Amino acid sequence: MNNNLPVSIIIFGASGDLTQRKLLPSLFNLYRKGRMPKQFRIVGYGNTAFTDDQFRTHLEEGVKQFASFKYTDEEWKAFASNLAYLQGRYTDLADFKKLGSFLKGWEVNSGNRLYYMATPPGVFPNIIDLLGLTDQLAEYNGWRRVVIEKPFGTDFESAHSLNEQIHKALNEKQIYRIDHYLGKETVQNILVTRFANTIFEPLWNRNYIDHVEITVAEQVGVEHRARFYDQVGVLRDMFQNHLLQLVSLVGMEPPVSFDATALRNEKVKVLSAIHPVKEEDVPRKTVRAQYKGYREEEGVDPQSTTATYGAVRLQIDNWRWQGVPFYLRSGKRLKEKLTQITIEFKEPPHLLFPTKDGRLTPNMLILYLQPDEGVHWRFEAKVPDTVAEMRSVDMEFHYADSFGKTAIPEAYERLLVDALIGDASLFTRADEVETAWGLIDPILQVWESEKQPLAFYDPDSWGPSEADELLARDGRKWSTWDARKE
Ligand code: BG6
């Protein structure tokens, strides 16, 4: 495929939040860094009546409010000259024909096109149908790629039929399903930590690891997305995608190469090895909870039983991980925003030094994904001037110290560049998304049939006590040890 042709980036849902907060600031920053194609144009498509100039002003407001970088007026003007807007409906053939002629007018004979579905999920299959019907997906005069935002389906069945439907108009190589966690530097660093070092991989298995904890805690509540969130809940919003992606990166075998097929094959393999939680085990292996006050939020059903917090115990059935539980938890309105993966190692097999309770504190490797990005190693050291008293100490790496405070780009920058160059490694393949739903479905079914009681937790806490009991049943505790505060 010729990557040197002019590129049109068509954003459906261009007047929405995602475009203003994330997509446009990321595209602008890529432009400032010289990473956009030589010739490109960004065409916004949506219901709102905007002129080109109004669209540009609306987007610049977003850049001012949401971008973390500084820019000059000249930079914005030069970038904004590539922006255009077309008002249209998502269900109207005539509007799509208009879009087709509009794009052709600029491309002259040939051009590449990236279609970005930043619309509500119900709309995009229709858009893809109409693009197909108006001959805008065939690749005879340039590549055609489609980026699809989450959520991809609401359960296994719907994700599967969505895949079938879009495969009628597109082949899998043209489809880029986004999970923005994969665009995060620290998430990609999981693979570098594991596979670009020799010191970790020999320990990365059931012989040395006791268990793995993955925490994705958010301080914010449901805010302006309450109406949407109330239909979705934490399992669909966070577990099916972000948390299971983290599990797959921590749990996968080394891929034979760093390309999309090899990488995604390994991810699917490890997801397929996860033991689906059986219906009768759901109450024992999961926690379903809601923060107090959620039902009073605007847009939320006053009797809502939607979970805003979840904790799940998973087991990977393979040689590497047999007997090593993965504990996952995520929730809104928790004490702080914190995303971390804790690898807790086994205790040494023989206790040489005296301790109060005859136990040693286990070593931990903590991958801090956000906000203070870095990696910490916790190990035991001798307290000076004692016979053999020990204390846990911490060896730390912080991105900000090693690479500078502004080193970490917005996740969307990386994903947009990858879609433009045709690298699908950080996007979710059809079988991956379906396998993930297959793991979430049995839990969802029990949760939604109300067979499992809903727990409640205080805002600004670390979640319900039921989540502590989940680990206590295995004789464990969540690792509350926070290296940043020692
Ligand atoms: C989104 C969820 O996918 O991820 C949101 O829909 C959540 O509910 C967000 O707040 C969290 O992303 P991040 O990058 O802030 O961890």
Side-chain angles (χ1 to χ4, degrees), residues 320-362:
R320 187 189 283 268
W321 294 115
Q322 195 51 247
V324 181
F326 278 57
Y327 300 104
L328 279 44
R329 60 176 169 170
S330 178
K332 299 224 179 259
R333 287 295 270 121
L334 295 175
K335 200 169 176 64
E336 40 178 293
K337 181 171 177 71
L338 178 68
T339 306
Q340 70 176 40
I341 300 175
T342 304
I343 314 287
E344 189 163 317
F345 291 88
K346 294 190 168 172
E347 284 181 35
H350 170 64
L351 191 58
L352 184 60
F353 309 104
T355 65
K356 280 189 200 116
D357 55 1
R359 299 194 65 174
L360 273 174
T361 318

Side-chain angles (χ1 to χ4, degrees), residues 22 149-151 179-181 184 216-218 220-223 225 228-229 232 236-238 241-242 332 337 339 370 410-412:
K22 298 284 183 188
E149 270 292 333
K150 69 170 263 275
D179 181 319
H180 80 279
Y181 264 54
K184 291 182 189 279
V216 181
E218 294 190 89
V220 290
V222 284
E223 303 182 315
R225 293 162 75 232
F228 163 78
Y229 189 90
V232 175
R236 291 191 175 93
D237 190 46
M238 299 298 287
N241 37 67
H242 310 324
K332 299 224 179 259
K337 181 171 177 71
T339 306
Q370 58 189 25
E410 166 60 49
Y412 276 93

Side-chain angles (χ1 to χ4, degrees), residues 169 250 321 417 422:
V250 172
W321 294 115
V417 165

